[in-house]
Amino acid sequence: MTHAGKTESAENPWRGRYITRKPQLAKRLSISISTLDRLRQSDKSFPKAVLLGPQAIGWVVVEVDDWLETRSRV
């Protein structure tokens, strides 16, 4: 769909890019939150967290999916 000559994706780059929070990500990866914290610090290829608020972070699900795909090929 277009609006004023722009596509929706151009208007909103986050469209379709869902954010997952730390507890949900740890559960999805089947690891503990402390292991997730260690992974964030030690694995430079791990997706960067997105700041959601003063004390809240999350990850873009698509980026985590891409990271998991690269890990499964190793």
Side-chain angles (χ1 to χ4, degrees), residues 22 25-27 29-43 46 59 67 71:
K22 189 184 278 191
L25 182 57
K27 184 176 181 179
L29 298 176
S30 299
I31 58 176
S32 68
I33 289 177
S34 59
T35 300
L36 176 58
D37 290 335
R38 283 194 299 275
L39 184 62
R40 287 180 53 212
Q41 293 173 0
S42 65
D43 187 343
F46 193 74
W59 286 264
W67 177 79
R71 299 275 298 185

Side-chain angles (χ1 to χ4, degrees), residues 7-20 48-52 58-64:
T7 62
E8 284 184 13
S9 60
E11 291 175 16
N12 183 3
W14 287 98
R15 187 175 193 280
R17 298 187 66 164
Y18 301 101
I19 302 291
T20 187
K48 300 293 181 202
V50 176
L51 187 62
L52 301 174
W59 286 264
V60 177
V61 172
V62 173
E63 293 176 5
V64 173

